[in-house]
Amino acid sequence: MAKYMIRPSRRAVLSSLAAASLVSAGRRVYAAPAPIRVGCTLALTGPLAQTALVHKLAAEIFVADINKHGGLLGRSVEYVLYDDQSRADQTRSLYEKLITVDNVDLIMAPYATAATLAAISVAQRYGKIIIYSSMAQVYLATYDRAFPASHGGPHPEISNPKVILDAWASTPHPPQSIAIAASKFPSALFEAKGVRDLAQKRGIKVAFYLEYDFPSRDMNPIAARFKDANADLVWLGCLGVEANQLIEAMTKIDYKPPRSFYLFPASGPLASAPGGEGATAFSNYEEHPPMDKFKGADVLIPAFHERAKAAGMPYTRVDFQAATEFAAWQMLAAAAQATSSLDDAKMADWLKHHQVETVVGKLRFNEEFNCGDDLSKVKQVQKGKWQVVWPVAFRQPGTTFIAP
Amino acid sequence: MPSVTLLGQAVIAGVLIGGLYGLLAAGLSLSWGLLKYINVSYFALAFLSAYLTYQFGTFNGIAPWWSAVILVPAFFLLGVLQHWTFMRLRVTELTSLVVTFGLAVLIESLIQWIWTADFRKYESGFSGLTSKIGPFFVPTLDFLALVSATILAIATWSWLRWTYVGKALRAAAMDPEMASAFGIDHRRLSFLLSGICSAYAAVAGIFIALIATLAPSEIGTWIGVAFAVVIIGGVGNPLGALLAGILIGFAESVTMAVTQPAWAPLVSFTILIVLLLWKPRWT
Amino acid sequence: MLLEASHLNIAYGDAPAVWDVSLDVDEGEIVSVIGPNGAGKTTLINALAGLLRPRGGALGIAGTDLMSVASHDFCRHGIALVPESRRLFAAMSVEENLDIGGYRSAARRHRNESLEQVYALFPALRERRRQIAGLLSGGQQQMVAIGRALMARPRLLLLDEPSLGLAPAVVNDVFAAIGRIHRGGVAILLVEQNVPKALEIANRAYVLEQGRIVASGAPEPLLARAEIREAYLGFAN
């Protein structure tokens, strides 16, 4: 099993060590304190590998940066990373190993819901604090020392639909009707039902509410139904590439919905899709003003571009995944610094009673499931790039919400 | 009650996707029926072809029809090589499913390694092409896929039906020993056929690249429906596979248009079960 | 000599083994091999057809050594088999079965001529040529099996139990056809349990018991031997 250390490369380390020893020979008489070891697994291989890579880069950027500035509590930070192969069962045993064999000081959660739950259960057994960055269903994390860095609030199924409909309600001609189709994927379904119920409550006509099989091979019939219903707002509870498939299918039958929202699209492909202009989706971070001035953004953004490009990723902008992972590390460091300790109980207690300034904004953890506010935003494809259009405070100066 | 436009559009969409189902299922059907290999690696090979079409088109400026000129013979050779390996390893009908599944996973990993798990879309410039017939839209690429599938299916079917080589292949599938007694060198013919199966995967892949968005994990989503298509169409029957593909595409699409789309996958398997119970002559 | 087999040893899986069998068939001859069930008759004939490869001995046709010839090339040397229980390509039509028989390129050139000969021999097949072979009656299937072998334009026709499972009237038809084929100039090796029929038609016969040839010669002298009469015709006198 590969073990990844956050060191540039063996050759770079060796040469810099050699250089450092030449320069400091005779001057440095004390030994450096042992590094703080932070253990984590990520899906470095398997179906989740692509998105997990984003998390790895963000974590590495944070660790490199904190070490550049003297480390944490005067000690350098070492990132101990294992490959969980996109499998929750692997994750469970690797976290056991991290805690009992590697004796890491702190742990970080892995990528994706199933792995996160597995890691939380191990953390709970050893009383470790665990900050997770990729699980929307916060109510599944009942462990009292588990903290979300993603922030849909304690009840996203209620607060998320509100964000979307509020956003559209702010436009000159709010939608009078909505057509909803959702992939049969747990988190997509609860969002879809949430938006259906809220739309009805607000007097928006629900043209149809459909569920389709995940993953979908053929979006053409669904596109035909959207065209037929001709609702003011198309709401697709999709995952990954389905958003692109629907847009292509709608283009083929010469239909462009006046307003559209996609739940969990693949950000890059949707932004660059020929028919993607004007499409909206959730966001928590886009690297444009004012968010590019948030704490840590100056570190994360340039480093992420560089590393993502080097890793051959087609979409190198900082988005939800990278920002949330980075924020998770900011929370961990903040709790350690504030309590001057690596004690799990003390750190967890501090987080519950304090707010942390992160790259995604100010987070608090004093509500149900250690949640705070729903900080979800709505972003829109404008000229091939994502722009946050709602809430207005996060809009880049000079941009507008493009709506009929 | 759905509108006529919706129904008509759904029928068109279903029939057209049936062409792609037929192309994808052809390799499995032929190899299962005539080589006695349940070869699921063709789905992965189809995606390999799709990624190569994407790669050639996006980074080398090679038009998809030139990709076809390269990929179809290349995949033919790949199929021959694959068959040679299977013969060397003494793969049987029983073990073929496991071996080829392993191969499919391997190819999927290779694709993921080269092109990452990220979504890839081949912007050929043709995806928006569509023609309008009355109130209905017929997407050009999907239509071309169906036309190609039809031409290939009829050609392959006729080849198997009317030529000596075709008859020999069918005979050897039923009783290789007796076929050999009449001078049929089954080994040599089976190389030809496995090359053809693999070439089918190449053609399917080119259309997948043109029509769909690519991700390595998409490979698995086609296997279930392709098995249904093969069994409904009659194992070893390329024309049957195409007709079954159209039938399933049509049924799924209409289901998605008039009821809950989530029921669509049930439709293909319901058709399969009904046909297995009813056992019409052609299955 | 057309076919020459000497000291053949054949063993294959569950098939009864054959030891030290020497046998020959000359141009224009009908030779029968008789023997009880399990004596190795089918093993022997399958080896002569190339389906089973002998472990030892020599096998040749018209001076060509067959021991190193590939199974699928036996028919190129003029050997065609009508196998036990016919083994038709059941899902294919009658004519497709016949076409498989005439698959080798030399035979293909004479396709129409051969087809006419087969239909002349078995007129019932002409009207059924588009039917699925597996759905025909037993007698008709036997006709297809013989016709298929004739399509290969053999010099030597190997027939394995052509009367098996057929009604007596049909058996007569089949043997009549064999006679006509023979008169057309094809040498015939016949393996048969119907000993009276087999000996009636044959120029010479071999008796195979437990994998070994125990007697051979012209039918009359063979039938004159009491032990053979007793064993195969059920009476001693």
Side-chain angles (χ1 to χ4, degrees):
Chain A
M1 195 147 310
K3 184 173 168 182
Y4 298 83
M5 302 292 182
I6 178 65
R7 286 167 186 159
S9 80
R10 183 168 299 180
R11 188 179 300 166
V13 169
L14 288 177
S15 55
S16 60
L17 274 178
S21 61
L22 280 176
V23 170
S24 63
R27 277 200 284 140
R28 202 179 255 201
V29 287
Y30 57 91
I36 294 173
R37 290 155 58 83
V38 185
C40 176
T41 80
L42 283 174
L44 299 175
T45 57
L48 304 175
Q50 187 60 27
T51 316
L53 178 61
V54 173
H55 285 259
K56 176 170 176 265
L57 298 186
E60 286 174 351
I61 291 166
F62 181 88
V63 173
D65 182 65
I66 203 168
N67 285 338
K68 204 169 90 187
H69 294 98
L72 184 61
L73 307 176
R75 293 162 67 184
S76 68
V77 176
E78 184 186 320
Y79 184 31
V80 182
L81 175 62
Y82 289 120
D83 176 13
D84 60 44
Q85 300 166 21
S86 305
R87 287 165 51 191
D89 56 327
Q90 279 290 326
T91 308
R92 189 171 296 109
S93 50
L94 287 173
Y95 273 88
E96 289 272 358
K97 180 173 183 301
L98 281 167
I99 294 169
T100 59
V101 180
D102 297 323
N103 281 313
V104 295
D105 301 287
L106 296 168
I107 55 171
M108 264 304 206
Y111 170 61
T113 304
T116 302
L117 285 172
I120 289 176
S121 70
V122 179
Q124 183 162 20
R125 207 159 341 123
Y126 296 96
K128 302 294 289 179
I129 182 171
I130 182 163
I131 299 172
Y132 58 93
S133 53
S134 52
M135 187 172 77
Q137 295 107 309
V138 284
Y139 59 85
L140 296 175
T142 50
Y143 171 44
D144 151 72
R145 289 178 193 170
F147 294 86
S150 51
H151 22 267
H155 295 288
E157 74 281 11
I158 294 168
S159 56
N160 278 346
K162 200 168 163 299
V163 173
I164 307 162
L165 293 185
D166 284 353
W168 287 107
S170 75
T171 59
H173 302 285
Q176 304 298 310
S177 59
I178 183 171
I180 302 166
S183 199
K184 283 183 91 173
F185 193 83
S187 45
L189 285 184
F190 88 50
E191 294 270 358
K193 287 178 182 143
V195 82
R196 176 191 62 189
D197 297 347
L198 187 63
Q200 276 164 345
K201 213 178 287 171
R202 292 189 177 185
I204 299 170
K205 183 174 166 272
V206 178
F208 62 66
Y209 169 87
L210 301 174
E211 295 174 2
Y212 62 86
D213 206 47
F214 172 81
S216 173
R217 277 186 310 274
D218 181 13
M219 297 297 284
N220 291 318
I222 292 173
R225 290 188 81 154
F226 274 125
K227 183 183 182 182
D228 195 56
N230 198 21
D232 294 341
L233 172 59
V234 160
W235 192 101
L236 187 72
C238 58
L239 271 97
V241 78
E242 288 169 345
N244 284 59
Q245 288 172 335
L246 181 73
I247 290 175
E248 279 160 32
M250 291 192 301
T251 310
K252 280 184 202 166
I253 54 172
D254 198 32
Y255 176 58
K256 178 144 175 73
R259 301 167 191 83
S260 59
F261 177 86
Y262 302 92
L263 187 58
F264 305 124
S267 293
L270 182 50
S272 56
E277 191 69 14
T280 61
F282 277 133
S283 170
N284 75 333
Y285 189 84
E286 297 302 322
E287 50 175 65
H288 63 61
M291 283 169 280
D292 62 345
K293 298 289 178 287
F294 282 9
K295 194 184 175 193
D298 55 329
V299 172
L300 177 62
I301 295 170
F304 189 81
H305 289 179
E306 192 184 307
R307 288 178 189 238
K309 199 167 166 228
M313 294 167 60
Y315 189 75
T316 59
R317 292 171 72 88
V318 172
D319 69 352
F320 177 91
Q321 305 284 353
T324 314
E325 175 74 27
F326 197 80
W329 284 83
Q330 289 177 309
M331 286 162 59
L332 190 73
Q337 245 139 16
T339 57
S340 293
S341 84
L342 301 176
D343 183 85
D344 296 283
K346 277 190 199 160
M347 288 169 72
D349 189 58
W350 183 85
L351 272 181
K352 273 186 210 186
H353 298 101
H354 292 81
Q355 302 196 4
V356 180
E357 200 70 66
T358 72
V359 72
V360 293
K362 194 176 253 184
L363 303 180
R364 61 186 176 88
F365 314 97
N366 52 354
E367 282 187 35
E368 226 182 329
F369 315 118
N370 295 334
C371 282
D373 303 302
D374 184 349
L375 296 180
S376 299
K377 302 159 187 72
V378 174
K379 62 181 177 180
Q380 186 173 38
V381 179
Q382 296 186 0
K383 298 199 181 83
K385 277 188 179 162
W386 288 109
Q387 294 283 349
V388 170
V389 291
W390 184 263
V392 180
F394 296 94
R395 226 179 256 179
Q396 178 164 202
T399 56
T400 49
F401 188 176
I402 300 168
Chain B
M1 191 59 206
S3 69
V4 175
T5 326
L6 172 58
L7 255 180
Q9 199 60 61
V11 169
I12 292 169
V15 169
L16 293 186
I17 194 99
L20 205 50
Y21 288 171
L23 277 177
L24 260 178
L28 174 64
S29 179
L30 290 173
S31 114
W32 192 352
L34 299 173
L35 298 175
K36 304 292 172 201
Y37 282 156
I38 308 173
N39 192 331
V40 294
S41 75
Y42 293 133
F43 305 114
L45 283 175
F47 270 80
L48 182 62
S49 157
Y51 271 95
L52 287 168
T53 307
Y54 156 80
Q55 179 78 21
F56 293 162
T58 308
F59 300 102
N60 306 90
I62 298 172
W65 48 89
W66 288 116
S67 291
V69 171
I70 301 166
L71 290 175
V72 171
F75 272 64
F76 181 90
L77 291 179
L78 208 60
V80 171
L81 183 72
Q82 189 193 51
H83 193 64
W84 181 80
T85 317
F86 286 176
M87 306 252 280
R88 284 298 294 268
L89 299 176
R90 296 182 191 284
V91 174
T92 63
E93 181 169 6
L94 228 60
T95 53
S96 64
L97 190 56
V98 182
V99 171
T100 59
F101 183 76
L103 193 61
V105 172
L106 207 71
I107 296 169
E108 185 181 333
S109 305
L110 181 77
I111 288 172
Q112 190 170 322
W113 183 60
I114 299 174
W115 288 283
T116 74
D118 221 336
F119 301 112
R120 303 283 171 159
K121 175 66 189 153
Y122 175 26
E123 298 298 348
S124 61
F126 306 118
S127 56
L129 290 182
T130 178
S131 34
K132 196 160 190 249
I133 300 170
F136 306 116
F137 288 88
V138 180
T140 310
L141 286 174
D142 303 51
F143 180 70
L144 271 180
L146 178 67
V147 169
S148 307
T150 309
I151 293 172
L152 285 176
I154 291 176
T156 314
W157 183 86
S158 310
W159 177 68
L160 287 173
R161 184 96 175 78
W162 306 115
T163 67
Y164 270 101
V165 173
K167 289 174 200 171
L169 276 166
R170 285 188 289 141
M174 283 178 240
D175 189 340
E177 210 177 45
M178 279 319 295
S180 151
F182 292 106
I184 293 166
D185 185 354
H186 182 220
R187 281 174 54 104
R188 235 177 55 200
L189 296 182
S190 62
F191 281 116
L192 177 66
L193 189 71
S194 50
I196 288 171
C197 291
S198 179
Y200 255 110
V203 176
I206 292 162
F207 281 109
I208 290 173
L210 286 169
I211 293 169
T213 301
L214 305 177
S217 55
E218 292 282 297
I219 296 171
T221 66
W222 296 82
I223 293 184
V225 74
F227 264 94
V229 165
V230 167
I231 292 166
I232 292 170
V235 168
N237 183 348
L239 203 53
L242 176 66
L243 294 175
I246 291 173
L247 174 71
I248 287 187
F250 166 81
E252 282 188 346
S253 189
V254 171
T255 310
M256 287 172 90
V258 300
T259 65
Q260 271 295 338
W263 294 348
L266 293 179
V267 172
S268 47
F269 288 99
T270 309
I271 295 175
L272 177 62
I273 289 164
V274 167
L275 286 179
L276 286 180
L277 293 175
W278 172 40
K279 279 189 203 263
R281 276 277 298 284
W282 76 84
T283 59
Chain C
M1 267 317 144
L2 182 62
L3 180 82
E4 272 181 297
S6 49
H7 309 294
L8 285 184
N9 286 324
I10 314 156
Y12 180 82
D14 295 335
V18 168
W19 288 283
D20 197 32
V21 164
S22 297
L23 168 155
D24 47 57
V25 182
D26 206 352
E27 304 270 7
E29 261 195 317
I30 297 188
V31 174
S32 291
V33 177
I34 58 171
N37 251 338
K41 302 192 298 293
T42 293
T43 305
L44 174 64
I45 203 166
N46 282 349
L48 300 180
L51 301 188
L52 289 179
R53 306 318 299 260
R55 297 207 173 154
L59 181 63
I61 184 159
T64 306
D65 178 18
L66 286 172
M67 292 298 279
S68 54
V69 164
S71 297
H72 58 83
D73 279 337
F74 268 56
C75 97
R76 210 150 54 86
H77 292 284
I79 296 174
L81 173 70
V82 179
E84 187 182 7
S85 66
R86 304 177 282 269
R87 288 172 75 172
L88 297 183
F89 303 110
M92 294 167 78
S93 72
V94 168
E95 199 156 294
E96 284 177 332
N97 269 276
L98 297 179
D99 274 335
I100 294 298
Y103 177 79
R104 69 186 185 99
S105 47
R108 270 185 229 183
R109 285 195 286 275
H110 303 279
R111 176 182 185 262
N112 292 337
E113 190 188 329
S114 308
L115 216 48
E116 277 313 307
Q117 286 169 2
V118 170
Y119 289 150
L121 192 63
F122 303 117
L125 295 188
R126 189 194 296 274
E127 60 212 51
R128 290 179 174 78
R129 64 184 193 276
R130 304 239 175 274
Q131 289 186 14
I132 297 300
L135 302 177
L136 298 179
S137 72
Q140 289 161 348
Q141 289 197 15
Q142 190 62 58
M143 293 174 198
V144 177
I146 295 171
R148 178 177 65 177
L150 290 178
M151 291 296 288
R153 305 184 73 81
R155 284 193 282 178
L156 172 66
L157 184 65
L158 307 175
L159 288 144
D160 193 355
E161 305 276 10
S163 71
L164 196 73
L166 301 184
V170 183
V171 172
N172 288 335
D173 291 347
V174 167
F175 273 88
I178 293 170
R180 260 177 290 158
I181 293 164
H182 174 237
R183 283 193 293 283
V186 180
I188 287 169
L189 181 84
L190 174 69
V191 158
E192 194 40 89
Q193 291 212 48
N194 187 335
V195 174
K197 281 279 178 203
L199 294 183
E200 183 190 315
I201 201 172
N203 303 112
R204 286 190 300 119
Y206 292 87
V207 181
L208 191 68
E209 278 181 12
Q210 293 182 343
R212 293 173 197 278
I213 302 277
V214 294
S216 65
E220 292 79 20
L222 278 179
L223 278 174
R225 288 160 67 165
E227 75 274 17
I228 289 176
R229 274 216 309 277
E230 185 175 18
Y232 300 106
L233 300 178
F235 59 90
N237 294 308

